[in-house]
Amino acid sequence: MKDGTAQGVAKVRHYESLHEPSKRLYHDPYAQHMYLGSFVQRWLGEGGTRWLYRVCGFEGILDMLSIRTRWIDDEIMKVANDGKEKQQLIILGAGYDTRGFRLNLQPAFECVWEVDQTEVQTKKIRNLRQIKDDVCIQERIDSCFVRFIGIDFNQESIDEKLQSSEGYSIHTPSVVTLEGVTQYLPKDSTAETLTALKKAVPAGSILLITYVDQNVLDDPIQCGPPNEVKKAVNSASMVGEPWISFWTPDEFSSCLKELGYNVMSDSIPYDYIEKYLTPLGRNTEKKEMLAMEHFVVATIE
């Protein structure tokens, strides 16, 4: 089982949750239970943890990943608050995502479907059940509001796994997330995944997807401090989960359009500094932040 990246993202969500309530982008009370050694960040606190990332040359990734998390949270809650019709949330490559437990999704969402490797799902459920005195976890698992689908991405099709799962409906409007995944897949595998997804959800469903910019290789300074950009790429390889796919905005947009998706927006972390960080008094400058990923909203035609 490879879950180094998933644990790394959990670390960042834990870091963000260490901020004072008036300073944080979101609160994920479960993130600290999803990776080993979380006591270190608890002991260091928000300031000490950021200092440690700075010393290690990874400070820029903190705000990038926290903004990504908040962006997806906001897009999901936008649908939840719209109230037009019942929805289902599908989290592909869920890792240690805890949105099914920490977001106020009911009653707008009927169900949350988490899709990932069986080993990762098993570990996640075990970690969640070990959290004492949390009624939300118990209720949402026991009531099947959050459901876990184990899959071998190399052998099984997403549409077949979803449609064969008890309670799943291909007619229910869906919000689908594919967060921080496409860089680990060959481009044709991303296309195959999105093609399969179209068979499992109705037209009008929303896709929230991210991809890594080709400039990470061609012109790193466009994506943040060049040394940190290089370290981010190298660290993925060091944990056995290398980034293998990079896209230009035009290339990614064309791919989605060819597959039957209508691109509504394509943004980068820099676009959210004034919206998310500045109001909290967090004066991060562009030169300090990584902006390697693009955040895309698309609808299924």
Side-chain angles (χ1 to χ4, degrees), residues 197-211:
L197 176 63
K198 277 199 69 180
K199 301 176 183 177
V201 297
S205 293
I206 297 171
L207 172 67
L208 308 175
I209 186 171
T210 66
Y211 68 91

Side-chain angles (χ1 to χ4, degrees), residues 6 21 51 184:
W51 170 83
Y184 300 101

Side-chain angles (χ1 to χ4, degrees), residues 10-11 13 36 59 104 107 121 138 152 158 207 210 295:
K11 289 179 184 179
R13 289 177 177 164
L36 297 173
E59 183 180 15
N104 186 24
Q121 300 282 44
Q138 200 68 34
D152 181 342
I158 287 173
L207 172 67
T210 66
F295 312 150

Side-chain angles (χ1 to χ4, degrees), residues 1-3 115-122 149-151 153:
M1 175 182 67
K2 293 183 178 180
D3 69 342
V115 184
D116 209 332
Q117 304 170 68
T118 300
E119 296 87 349
V120 173
Q121 300 282 44
T122 300
I149 301 177
I151 188 171
F153 288 104

Side-chain angles (χ1 to χ4, degrees), residues 50 52-64 216 220-221 223-236 243 285-292:
R50 191 173 187 97
L52 182 61
Y53 273 79
R54 184 183 305 124
V55 169
C56 295
F58 289 105
E59 183 180 15
I61 206 166
L62 293 173
D63 291 326
M64 184 187 81
V216 165
I221 199 169
C223 303
N227 287 340
E228 288 199 33
V229 172
K230 184 177 180 179
K231 279 191 174 184
V233 176
N234 290 342
S235 65
W243 292 2
E285 298 182 11
K286 284 185 178 181
K287 64 181 180 180
E288 300 172 343
M289 185 192 299
L290 291 179
M292 301 180 292

Side-chain angles (χ1 to χ4, degrees), residues 160-173:
E160 292 176 359
K161 289 293 290 189
L162 286 169
Q163 293 183 58
S164 64
S165 298
E166 183 179 356
Y168 184 83
S169 172
I170 63 173
H171 304 295
T172 302

